[in-house]
Amino acid sequence: MIKFENVSKKYPNGVTALKDVNLTIEQGEFVAIIGLSGAGKSTLIRCINRMHSISDGTLTVDNEDVTALGSKELRRFRRKIGMIFQSFNLVTRISVLNNVLVSSVPELSFWRKLTGSFTKEDKIRGLEALDKVGILDKAYTRVDQLSGGQQQRVALARTLAQNPSIILADEPVASLDPVTAKVVMDDFKRINKEMDISVLINIHHVDLALEYADRIIGIAKGEIVYDGPSSDVDQEVLNKIYQNQPIEVVESSVSPV
């Protein structure tokens, strides 16, 4: 369980990104976070694994106070939280499998990771993760030979190899075409349901948020202005989240491949 209690975040430049946020996210939920650019979506997600430290309040994950963790404890804590970025964050000159194993075997040196010095058990775990996202056949392909959608699925497999209980995704489909975006979102949804992994996605595509997430959190100027089922989101709610700026919400007519 993730719990924000009166959490605020103020950056050194004076910008307040989060204001008195109170949220409880139960294990196994699929949550989409929506709002205008600069509303605080990325900050909210990145506070959970302490990529950003909160300024005030209390933030706990599975009853563990995130702000109280020392450096060694923080590394251990982050092992159970997967992080997916828009830019994939892969090493493009090495194989897909080695990329999956880079994060899942943290005790190896950087150079041993680059040269593929992994155990048989490590490799089996990595191959199983690739199989879960449907790209096992690309295991020994260099990452720079893959499409954007395939690279994002490698990033997801890398996270799965950590055996996380939570996956945080910061605009994971922003750079993908509509068809590929739905394929990746299908992977997130299936993993959420089959593996009971909590998934929190910061996403600009409102139509995808409403289609895939069970729960929507809407942020405006650092404050939570909506928190509820995706089925209850209507134009009035969207106007509140997006400050009455035009926002087109459409059902995608493209079927995933």
Side-chain angles (χ1 to χ4, degrees), residues 39-227:
K41 303 188 301 297
S42 290
T43 300
L44 182 73
I45 281 182
R46 293 176 184 223
C47 283
I48 294 171
N49 62 357
R50 220 174 85 182
M51 288 183 70
H52 296 326
S53 296
I54 65 174
S55 303
D56 294 292
T58 304
L59 174 56
T60 58
V61 176
D62 295 336
N63 297 316
E64 195 164 23
D65 186 347
V66 177
T67 61
L69 298 175
S71 57
K72 184 176 180 180
E73 294 170 319
L74 182 59
R75 288 194 297 270
R76 172 194 53 77
F77 168 77
R78 284 175 173 166
R79 294 288 302 149
K80 65 180 180 181
I81 302 179
M83 186 77 189
I84 306 290
F85 300 91
Q86 176 183 344
S87 58
F88 317 137
N89 283 18
L90 301 173
V91 182
T92 58
R93 63 185 181 277
I94 64 175
S95 74
V96 164
L97 179 58
N98 280 7
N99 267 276
V100 169
L101 294 175
V102 161
S103 293
S104 63
V105 191
E107 67 273 10
L108 287 184
S109 70
F110 177 74
W111 291 110
R112 286 188 66 192
K113 289 176 181 179
L114 286 184
T115 56
S117 300
F118 303 104
T119 68
K120 180 180 178 180
E121 290 74 20
D122 292 335
K123 292 179 180 179
I124 289 172
R125 184 171 66 251
L127 292 170
E128 289 174 344
L130 289 169
D131 191 36
K132 288 174 183 174
V133 297
I135 53 171
L136 180 59
D137 60 317
K138 302 295 184 182
Y140 297 100
T141 302
R142 273 177 51 135
V143 166
D144 55 11
Q145 297 176 17
L146 302 182
S147 67
Q150 289 171 331
Q151 289 190 42
Q152 192 57 288
R153 296 171 94 179
V154 174
L156 181 53
R158 180 182 59 191
T159 292
L160 291 178
Q162 295 177 217
N163 193 30
S165 59
I166 300 167
I167 292 178
L168 309 176
D170 195 0
E171 294 292 350
V173 298
S175 61
L176 305 179
D177 64 78
V179 175
T180 306
K182 286 181 69 68
V183 172
V184 172
M185 291 297 290
D186 283 339
D187 286 333
F188 278 113
K189 188 69 172 181
R190 178 172 45 79
I191 287 164
N192 165 250
K193 295 303 180 186
E194 293 180 0
M195 302 178 69
D196 194 38
I197 295 175
S198 302
V199 176
L200 284 77
I201 291 184
N202 161 21
I203 188 168
H204 276 300
H205 299 282
V206 178
D207 56 331
L208 293 179
L210 298 180
E211 179 179 354
Y212 286 93
D214 304 312
R215 175 180 172 187
I216 300 293
I217 293 173
I219 302 182
K221 298 179 180 178
E223 297 181 285
I224 305 300
V225 296
Y226 176 81
D227 180 8

